[in-house]
Amino acid sequence: MTDLGTSPDEVQFRFRDDEPADHGTVTVDACCDQTNATAVRIEPGDDARVLLPFLDRLALVEVNFPSFGDGRGYSAARILREAGYEGELRAVGDVLIDQLSHMRRCGFDAFAPDKPLDEGDARRAFEGFGNVYQSAADARETGRRTIAELRHE
């Protein structure tokens, strides 16, 4: 991989070709109460499944990681991608180099860390783990197959 994506505003890495959402996000509760909300921010403790009826109108879902040790955002990303969400899924907050590869596998395609990450380290993180055991949300985008699939060609 040579391109780490574009960087609109505070987004350091973005792996999408469409225009980034340039409007503010609302809370999960507010999104469900509004008919025109197209960007939402999931906080730890929010249930991503509440958004499933609204996925067709959402251009951006930000998932907040207030602490690197809080992994609930991974589950939110997986739930949304497995339900068919195709809009931008942005990890925001305490995003660290060690998490980038795993976040991409869960379906995140944009990253806005609180503190800018070293681009060389990020490139190595995104390129790591070429072979995987489990299928994940990134298979649709990358075409990556599991080790079991590769063994049974």
Side-chain angles (χ1 to χ4, degrees):
M1 172 174 61
T2 58
D3 184 17
L4 289 177
T6 59
S7 300
D9 300 325
E10 75 283 353
V11 176
Q12 187 174 5
F13 309 113
R14 187 169 188 269
F15 300 92
R16 298 182 63 86
D17 293 330
D18 58 348
E19 286 293 318
D22 63 350
H23 43 80
T25 57
V26 298
T27 65
V28 170
D29 291 337
C31 177
C32 297
D33 294 337
Q34 298 176 12
T35 58
N36 62 345
T38 59
V40 64
R41 183 177 180 122
I42 298 176
E43 297 291 341
D46 287 342
D47 187 351
R49 294 172 292 191
V50 172
L51 298 174
L52 297 184
F54 310 103
L55 294 184
D56 60 333
R57 70 171 155 109
L58 294 175
L60 169 65
V61 175
E62 289 184 340
V63 179
N64 187 24
F65 289 86
S67 165
F68 74 90
D70 190 335
R72 292 177 282 184
Y74 291 91
S75 298
R78 183 173 179 196
I79 287 167
L80 295 173
R81 289 298 189 209
E82 287 182 353
Y85 178 64
E86 295 184 9
E88 181 174 332
L89 189 56
R90 184 182 298 167
V92 301
D94 197 14
V95 175
L96 305 178
I97 291 289
D98 296 353
Q99 299 169 304
L100 295 178
S101 175
H102 303 300
M103 288 179 166
R104 283 288 285 156
R105 298 225 53 231
C106 288
F108 287 101
D109 52 19
F111 301 86
D114 285 341
K115 297 176 186 166
L117 302 175
D118 179 81
E119 292 199 8
D121 291 341
R123 178 174 285 108
R124 285 185 292 281
F126 286 126
E127 291 174 349
F129 304 106
N131 295 313
V132 296
Y133 285 99
Q134 302 93 357
S135 59
D138 69 336
R140 183 172 37 115
E141 178 185 328
T142 65
R144 183 182 347 201
R145 297 181 317 158
T146 66
I147 290 171
E149 291 169 333
L150 293 170
R151 284 183 182 152
H152 298 290
E153 288 185 328

mmCIF file of all heavy atoms in Angstrom, residues 24-34 37 39-43 46 51:
data_model
loop_
_atom_site.group_PDB
_atom_site.id
_atom_site.type_symbol
_atom_site.label_atom_id
_atom_site.label_comp_id
_atom_site.label_asym_id
_atom_site.label_seq_id
_atom_site.Cartn_x
_atom_site.Cartn_y
_atom_site.Cartn_z
ATOM 1 N N GLY A 24 -21.689 18.258 10.958
ATOM 2 C CA GLY A 24 -21.549 17.712 12.293
ATOM 3 C C GLY A 24 -22.347 16.442 12.509
ATOM 4 O O GLY A 24 -23.322 16.160 11.812
ATOM 5 N N THR A 25 -21.902 15.702 13.475
ATOM 6 C CA THR A 25 -22.592 14.474 13.826
ATOM 7 C C THR A 25 -23.544 14.728 14.988
ATOM 8 O O THR A 25 -23.372 15.672 15.758
ATOM 9 C CB THR A 25 -21.587 13.380 14.236
ATOM 10 O OG1 THR A 25 -20.806 13.865 15.326
ATOM 11 C CG2 THR A 25 -20.684 13.001 13.078
ATOM 12 N N VAL A 26 -24.546 13.884 15.081
ATOM 13 C CA VAL A 26 -25.496 13.948 16.189
ATOM 14 C C VAL A 26 -25.345 12.671 17.010
ATOM 15 O O VAL A 26 -24.734 11.701 16.582
ATOM 16 C CB VAL A 26 -26.951 14.096 15.687
ATOM 17 C CG1 VAL A 26 -27.125 15.395 14.915
ATOM 18 C CG2 VAL A 26 -27.380 12.908 14.849
ATOM 19 N N THR A 27 -25.946 12.671 18.186
ATOM 20 C CA THR A 27 -25.913 11.480 19.028
ATOM 21 C C THR A 27 -26.815 10.404 18.442
ATOM 22 O O THR A 27 -27.661 10.677 17.579
ATOM 23 C CB THR A 27 -26.394 11.805 20.452
ATOM 24 O OG1 THR A 27 -27.781 12.173 20.393
ATOM 25 C CG2 THR A 27 -25.566 12.913 21.085
ATOM 26 N N VAL A 28 -26.667 9.186 18.915
ATOM 27 C CA VAL A 28 -27.514 8.091 18.456
ATOM 28 C C VAL A 28 -28.977 8.406 18.735
ATOM 29 O O VAL A 28 -29.838 8.238 17.863
ATOM 30 C CB VAL A 28 -27.084 6.756 19.111
ATOM 31 C CG1 VAL A 28 -28.105 5.658 18.833
ATOM 32 C CG2 VAL A 28 -25.702 6.341 18.616
ATOM 33 N N ASP A 29 -29.280 8.879 19.928
ATOM 34 C CA ASP A 29 -30.670 9.205 20.266
ATOM 35 C C ASP A 29 -31.235 10.287 19.352
ATOM 36 O O ASP A 29 -32.356 10.186 18.873
ATOM 37 C CB ASP A 29 -30.775 9.659 21.722
ATOM 38 C CG ASP A 29 -30.508 8.531 22.696
ATOM 39 O OD1 ASP A 29 -30.668 7.352 22.312
ATOM 40 O OD2 ASP A 29 -30.136 8.824 23.853
ATOM 41 N N ALA A 30 -30.450 11.331 19.093
ATOM 42 C CA ALA A 30 -30.908 12.420 18.228
ATOM 43 C C ALA A 30 -31.102 11.930 16.798
ATOM 44 O O ALA A 30 -32.037 12.345 16.114
ATOM 45 C CB ALA A 30 -29.927 13.581 18.258
ATOM 46 N N CYS A 31 -30.244 11.048 16.339
ATOM 47 C CA CYS A 31 -30.357 10.514 14.977
ATOM 48 C C CYS A 31 -31.686 9.794 14.786
ATOM 49 O O CYS A 31 -32.331 9.946 13.758
ATOM 50 C CB CYS A 31 -29.194 9.564 14.687
ATOM 51 S SG CYS A 31 -29.287 8.783 13.070
ATOM 52 N N CYS A 32 -32.081 9.041 15.769
ATOM 53 C CA CYS A 32 -33.321 8.273 15.672
ATOM 54 C C CYS A 32 -34.547 9.176 15.700
ATOM 55 O O CYS A 32 -35.595 8.812 15.173
ATOM 56 C CB CYS A 32 -33.399 7.259 16.805
ATOM 57 S SG CYS A 32 -32.080 6.024 16.747
ATOM 58 N N ASP A 33 -34.404 10.353 16.302
ATOM 59 C CA ASP A 33 -35.524 11.285 16.410
ATOM 60 C C ASP A 33 -35.609 12.254 15.242
ATOM 61 O O ASP A 33 -36.596 12.969 15.107
ATOM 62 C CB ASP A 33 -35.424 12.090 17.711
ATOM 63 C CG ASP A 33 -35.601 11.213 18.943
ATOM 64 O OD1 ASP A 33 -36.209 10.134 18.821
ATOM 65 O OD2 ASP A 33 -35.112 11.613 20.024
ATOM 66 N N GLN A 34 -34.580 12.319 14.396
ATOM 67 C CA GLN A 34 -34.551 13.264 13.285
ATOM 68 C C GLN A 34 -34.687 12.509 11.963
ATOM 69 O O GLN A 34 -34.218 11.387 11.835
ATOM 70 C CB GLN A 34 -33.241 14.041 13.269
ATOM 71 C CG GLN A 34 -33.015 14.880 14.491
ATOM 72 C CD GLN A 34 -31.654 15.559 14.449
ATOM 73 O OE1 GLN A 34 -30.979 15.584 13.435
ATOM 74 N NE2 GLN A 34 -31.244 16.126 15.577
ATOM 75 N N ALA A 37 -30.954 13.641 9.719
ATOM 76 C CA ALA A 37 -29.599 13.408 10.225
ATOM 77 C C ALA A 37 -28.887 12.423 9.305
ATOM 78 O O ALA A 37 -29.403 11.350 9.013
ATOM 79 C CB ALA A 37 -29.643 12.868 11.646
ATOM 80 N N ALA A 39 -25.278 12.078 9.717
ATOM 81 C CA ALA A 39 -24.018 11.746 10.383
ATOM 82 C C ALA A 39 -24.287 11.552 11.871
ATOM 83 O O ALA A 39 -24.965 12.366 12.491
ATOM 84 C CB ALA A 39 -22.990 12.853 10.170
ATOM 85 N N VAL A 40 -23.769 10.470 12.407
ATOM 86 C CA VAL A 40 -24.029 10.134 13.809
ATOM 87 C C VAL A 40 -22.725 9.734 14.484
ATOM 88 O O VAL A 40 -21.804 9.245 13.828
ATOM 89 C CB VAL A 40 -25.086 9.008 13.913
ATOM 90 C CG1 VAL A 40 -24.577 7.724 13.300
ATOM 91 C CG2 VAL A 40 -25.516 8.767 15.350
ATOM 92 N N ARG A 41 -22.669 9.959 15.775
ATOM 93 C CA ARG A 41 -21.489 9.577 16.572
ATOM 94 C C ARG A 41 -21.932 8.580 17.638
ATOM 95 O O ARG A 41 -22.815 8.864 18.438
ATOM 96 C CB ARG A 41 -20.872 10.796 17.231
ATOM 97 C CG ARG A 41 -19.615 10.476 18.015
ATOM 98 C CD ARG A 41 -19.034 11.766 18.578
ATOM 99 N NE ARG A 41 -17.834 11.503 19.341
ATOM 100 C CZ ARG A 41 -16.661 12.035 19.068
ATOM 101 N NH1 ARG A 41 -16.522 12.841 18.032
ATOM 102 N NH2 ARG A 41 -15.618 11.764 19.815
ATOM 103 N N ILE A 42 -21.299 7.421 17.615
ATOM 104 C CA ILE A 42 -21.576 6.381 18.599
ATOM 105 C C ILE A 42 -20.586 6.522 19.747
ATOM 106 O O ILE A 42 -19.375 6.544 19.524
ATOM 107 C CB ILE A 42 -21.456 4.977 17.969
ATOM 108 C CG1 ILE A 42 -22.482 4.801 16.860
ATOM 109 C CG2 ILE A 42 -21.598 3.903 19.026
ATOM 110 C CD1 ILE A 42 -22.353 3.470 16.123
ATOM 111 N N GLU A 43 -21.108 6.617 20.942
ATOM 112 C CA GLU A 43 -20.292 6.674 22.150
ATOM 113 C C GLU A 43 -20.282 5.286 22.795
ATOM 114 O O GLU A 43 -21.189 4.480 22.546
ATOM 115 C CB GLU A 43 -20.863 7.698 23.141
ATOM 116 C CG GLU A 43 -20.868 9.127 22.631
ATOM 117 C CD GLU A 43 -19.473 9.727 22.498
ATOM 118 O OE1 GLU A 43 -18.527 9.196 23.112
ATOM 119 O OE2 GLU A 43 -19.336 10.744 21.792
ATOM 120 N N ASP A 46 -23.483 3.073 23.693
ATOM 121 C CA ASP A 46 -24.577 3.169 22.721
ATOM 122 C C ASP A 46 -24.714 1.834 21.999
ATOM 123 O O ASP A 46 -23.723 1.160 21.733
ATOM 124 C CB ASP A 46 -24.296 4.258 21.673
ATOM 125 C CG ASP A 46 -24.443 5.669 22.213
ATOM 126 O OD1 ASP A 46 -25.076 5.842 23.273
ATOM 127 O OD2 ASP A 46 -23.914 6.596 21.569
ATOM 128 N N LEU A 51 -29.305 1.893 15.156
ATOM 129 C CA LEU A 51 -29.152 2.619 13.899
ATOM 130 C C LEU A 51 -29.536 1.806 12.673
ATOM 131 O O LEU A 51 -29.648 2.362 11.576
ATOM 132 C CB LEU A 51 -27.700 3.087 13.743
ATOM 133 C CG LEU A 51 -27.187 4.062 14.795
ATOM 134 C CD1 LEU A 51 -25.707 4.317 14.588
ATOM 135 C CD2 LEU A 51 -27.981 5.358 14.742
#
